[in-house]
Amino acid sequence: MFKLSKKIQALPPYLFLEIDKAKRSARAEGRDIIDLGVGDPDQPTPAHVIEKLYHAAQDPATHRYALDQGMPVLRQAIADWYKNRFGVELNPEEEILPLIGSKEGIAHFPLAYLNNGDYALVPDPCYPPYKGGTILAGGRPYLMPLTAGNGFLPDLKRIPRTMLKKAKLLYINYPNNPTAACADKDFYLGVIDFAKKNKLIVISDLAYSEMSYDGYRPPSFLELAGARDVAIEFHSLSKTYNMTGWRIGWACGNAQLIFALAKIKSNIDSGIFSALQLAGIAALLGPAQHVLDMRRLYQDRRDCLVAGLRSLGWEIDPPKATFYAWLKVPKIRPRAQGLRDSIAFSSLLLKKADLVVTPGVGFGKYGEGYIRMALTVPKERIEEAVGRLREII
Ligand SMILES: *Cc1c(COP(=O)(O)O)cnc(C)c1O
């Protein structure tokens, strides 16, 4: 009876639906499910952050609308954190904008620059809001395949010139979800050059900068000369501080881009709960030990998964960052042959091994042939998962 808008109709289908349903019913049957599907830390938020929220929430001054584009003290804390971590100096008033989680900003940003029919250059596979935000703004995603052959970096040379005339935005996300790939500064320099030549805005998603291993420290795109002329970078407390449910992140970079996103948001939301902003400051400026412990925990789990999968003959390069393993769907035993595609294989794992993994095609068509496993369960459970895999592959 009610006709959905063309934009809604153009949104990609939610391919995890079947798996979600199957997972719920398996749990309801009382089966012992190991969930390697969700990219959501299993550890609690640091106690001092919770404490800060608890105390700040007692103060009635935090109960009112927070209409100041993020408290100046929070913006200053973000500036201090960026300076300390990346050596990047940001003007807290003009180059930083707190967000209700970075997803919110990522999804809203295209509204500021896309007109109907404009294109955004989107990596595929990717974090879904790059496509969703583009489509909801009336734009169209042009897919840049991320392939193993190119280190899961987009091959900018392959984008047709006619497309470059119609494209306004370029998304990059390193360390990458879902492939766990990392980008070096040479790649970033190429992106800056490319963006300047083609008048593109670069949207850098740096959500995983702190989740890195073996001493590797991912750079910020904004570290590179000229980046601030073309880029807005999104970051978040979600992964670094186990705060996915709290909803706090930020955008930073080019002042004009920040201003435009702030203008969009002033028409949509009314700020972040002030007590939460104060708790966010406690996270950013809190003891560095938390991040060191977090890295050690995931590195340990990663090593456990890598060793386990290798013992099964499954090829895997240990991810240098993120809490994901991006794995080729293996050739499996004759009785289950034919299951080369990622949804069928994920369904098989759930049915036969009570294991939840994410089918690669859920992140885009170039994710087909892969599955993603998240290191969000304890080591014993990873070992148990490997044991169950041994039975079926
Ligand atoms: C988890 C994640 C984020 C963070 O999202 P929030 O909205 O800040 O919780 C951003 N980008 C990617 C690629 C992610 O995987």
Side-chain angles (χ1 to χ4, degrees):
M1 184 170 64
F2 301 110
K3 193 137 192 253
L4 288 169
S5 70
K6 293 204 175 89
K7 289 170 187 168
I8 293 281
Q9 292 183 50
L11 287 173
Y14 183 63
L15 287 172
F16 305 138
L17 213 63
E18 289 288 301
I19 294 254
D20 282 352
K21 233 167 78 185
K23 177 167 88 179
R24 269 198 305 276
S25 68
R27 282 229 164 95
E29 286 166 25
R31 284 158 55 190
D32 177 26
I33 300 293
I34 301 178
D35 191 350
L36 305 172
V38 286
D40 190 348
D42 58 314
Q43 298 295 299
T45 304
H48 69 275
V49 179
I50 300 171
E51 195 69 10
K52 183 70 196 181
L53 175 71
Y54 176 76
H55 288 292
Q58 323 277 319
D59 177 1
T62 65
H63 299 172
R64 314 192 61 188
Y65 284 123
L67 296 173
D68 50 6
Q69 317 270 26
M71 293 167 120
V73 277
L74 173 59
R75 283 184 264 129
Q76 185 62 52
I78 293 168
D80 293 346
W81 189 85
Y82 245 69
K83 171 88 175 64
N84 183 37
R85 170 65 175 85
F86 301 113
V88 172
E89 303 223 25
L90 294 163
N91 174 338
E93 262 171 61
E94 294 180 344
E95 295 179 320
I96 292 176
L97 179 66
L99 300 168
I100 307 169
S102 62
K103 182 179 186 180
E104 176 259 302
I106 290 167
H108 283 140
F109 184 74
L111 287 168
Y113 289 97
L114 295 186
N115 291 310
N116 276 339
D118 286 345
Y119 278 81
L121 307 175
V122 179
D124 184 298
C126 75
Y127 182 53
Y130 308 156
K131 288 175 191 163
T134 296
I135 291 167
L136 290 174
R140 298 176 196 177
Y142 174 83
L143 305 182
M144 304 181 290
L146 302 186
T147 61
N150 205 43
F152 300 107
L153 301 171
D155 189 351
L156 302 176
K157 294 187 302 296
R158 299 193 65 159
I159 303 167
R161 194 163 296 182
T162 48
M163 176 50 55
L164 291 172
K165 291 211 170 67
K166 297 185 276 189
K168 302 242 170 97
L169 310 176
L170 166 64
Y171 288 86
I172 52 172
N173 164 220
Y174 295 97
N176 183 259
N177 177 14
T179 68
C182 298
D184 61 19
K185 291 191 174 178
D186 280 345
F187 170 75
Y188 282 165
L189 282 174
V191 169
I192 294 169
D193 196 41
F194 184 78
K196 288 194 170 174
K197 277 199 186 107
N198 296 294
K199 297 197 172 56
L200 293 165
I201 294 166
V202 177
I203 300 165
S204 164
D205 182 351
L206 194 56
Y208 293 97
S209 74
E210 303 317 289
M211 254 184 206
S212 63
Y213 315 112
D214 310 323
Y216 171 64
R217 311 302 310 277
S220 155
F221 188 69
L222 297 175
E223 285 178 39
L224 290 126
R228 209 177 308 212
D229 300 336
V230 295
I232 183 166
E233 187 157 79
F234 288 90
H235 213 310
S236 170
L237 300 184
S238 287
K239 307 288 160 54
T240 311
Y241 301 103
N242 307 326
M243 291 175 69
T244 49
W246 294 55
R247 312 313 303 136
I248 183 162
W250 69 87
C252 58
N254 183 282
Q256 202 186 323
L257 304 181
I258 294 292
F259 181 85
L261 179 56
K263 182 153 184 179
I264 297 283
K265 278 172 57 62
S266 70
N267 283 279
I268 293 176
D269 67 67
S270 301
I272 308 165
F273 178 31
S274 303
L276 181 45
Q277 297 192 48
L278 295 168
I281 297 172
L284 285 168
L285 304 182
Q289 192 59 39
H290 161 77
V291 176
L292 301 178
D293 293 346
M294 181 265 292
R295 285 188 193 126
R296 185 163 331 110
L297 178 84
Y298 292 124
Q299 184 168 320
D300 226 34
R301 291 177 179 179
R302 177 201 66 168
D303 292 345
C304 174
L305 181 69
V306 168
L309 294 179
R310 282 181 174 166
S311 78
L312 304 179
W314 205 337
E315 278 170 48
I316 172 173
D317 284 331
K320 276 196 302 181
T322 76
F323 54 5
Y324 303 117
W326 184 243
L327 297 159
K328 275 216 176 95
V329 174
K331 296 192 179 80
I332 44 188
R333 280 193 214 159
R335 67 187 158 86
Q337 240 171 27
L339 291 181
R340 292 308 309 276
D341 76 272
S342 61
I343 291 193
F345 185 65
S346 303
S347 305
L348 175 88
L349 293 188
L350 180 55
K351 207 163 126 203
K352 298 261 158 89
D354 291 341
L355 285 184
V356 178
V357 302
T358 312
V361 72
F363 301 99
K365 65 177 178 181
Y366 295 99
E368 186 50 283
Y370 289 87
I371 57 164
R372 191 192 73 178
M373 289 185 187
L375 301 168
T376 46
V377 300
K379 220 161 101 174
E380 306 74 59
R381 297 293 276 170
I382 292 175
E383 281 162 1
E384 163 76 21
V386 170
R388 293 184 193 178
L389 284 167
R390 197 180 304 280
E391 301 294 310
I392 61 164
I393 66 171

